[in-house]
Amino acid sequence: EYVARKNLLSEADQKRNSILELQQKQQENQKQYHTMVSKLDTLKNMAERYDGYGHSIRHVMEQKKSQQGIIGVVADIIQVQDRYITAVETALGGNIQNIVTEDEHVARHMIEYLKKNRFGRATFLPLTTVTPKKDNAFTEEMLKEEGVIGNVASKVERDKRFDNVV
């Protein structure tokens, strides 16, 4: 009976230690979670304010809630795997800030808004009028070169309706 009791007490100690370790891990994970949520909130706020974008772009994007037909900037409509981010950013350059609209009427309206308020210029890409550039013979040859893994458009994920824009 003494040995059985001793074994049970030893087992109880081990369980208590396991519980303490798990509680510490839970606290660490909870702290990490809250840190990540805070970072995500900060990034979301920056994205909603279009921090880092040109003055005119921010003004147009501020109208997005009240002006139907503003979809967003090119950066909003594409998803890029981490390994292709630098290539896509390099290829797009300033075009990443071009504003995608449902149609040319919305684009014209926003151009007037920018002019009227002297907010500067922006490039608009209306879904109804944008047409893709065709690959030429030179492009076809480049795609065959060693080390070339494809054109940028093939490495960008997007909704099908944005194919012409991309």
Side-chain angles (χ1 to χ4, degrees):
E1 207 174 287
Y2 174 75
V3 172
R5 186 172 180 206
K6 191 175 177 183
N7 285 343
L8 284 173
L9 288 173
S10 174
E11 211 175 296
D13 280 345
Q14 287 176 348
K15 299 282 184 198
R16 265 191 291 279
N17 286 339
S18 292
I19 289 171
L20 286 173
E21 281 178 35
L22 289 171
Q23 284 174 333
Q24 283 178 325
K25 281 183 183 175
Q26 181 194 15
Q27 286 174 347
E28 287 171 22
N29 287 339
Q30 219 166 9
K31 187 177 175 182
Q32 271 185 318
Y33 168 78
H34 289 296
T35 301
M36 291 173 99
V37 165
S38 177
K39 283 181 183 177
L40 179 62
D41 287 343
T42 300
L43 290 172
K44 279 182 181 176
N45 288 335
M46 286 173 65
E48 285 171 10
R49 290 191 317 266
Y50 287 87
D51 282 0
Y53 284 82
H55 179 70
S56 56
I57 310 304
R58 283 199 309 274
H59 281 292
V60 171
M61 297 317 295
E62 285 169 3
Q63 301 300 307
K64 189 175 176 182
K65 287 182 179 136
S66 61
Q67 171 65 51
Q68 282 189 325
I70 299 173
I71 295 169
V73 294
V74 170
D76 293 337
I77 66 166
I78 61 174
Q79 295 85 46
V80 182
Q81 292 177 19
D82 287 349
R83 64 186 282 197
Y84 300 126
I85 286 176
T86 302
V88 170
E89 285 177 346
T90 302
L92 287 176
N95 294 325
I96 205 156
Q97 295 188 27
N98 291 353
I99 300 168
V100 181
T101 61
E102 290 291 346
D103 57 42
E104 65 274 14
H105 304 296
V106 176
R108 272 195 222 110
H109 179 73
M110 294 317 301
I111 289 168
E112 286 305 313
Y113 167 78
L114 290 173
K115 280 182 184 176
K116 186 175 116 189
N117 294 290
R118 297 182 180 202
F119 286 147
R121 297 170 175 253
T123 300
F124 291 89
L125 303 171
L127 291 181
T128 51
T129 59
V130 170
T131 55
K133 290 182 178 172
K134 300 285 183 232
D135 286 345
N136 58 32
F138 178 71
T139 304
E140 295 295 330
E141 287 300 312
M142 291 301 297
L143 290 172
K144 294 175 187 170
E145 288 293 317
E146 187 179 334
V148 175
I149 56 175
N151 66 20
V152 173
S154 71
K155 303 303 174 197
V156 172
E157 296 171 29
R158 72 281 191 172
D159 187 292
K160 193 127 186 84
R161 73 186 190 124
F162 302 125
D163 281 352
N164 285 349
V165 171
V166 174

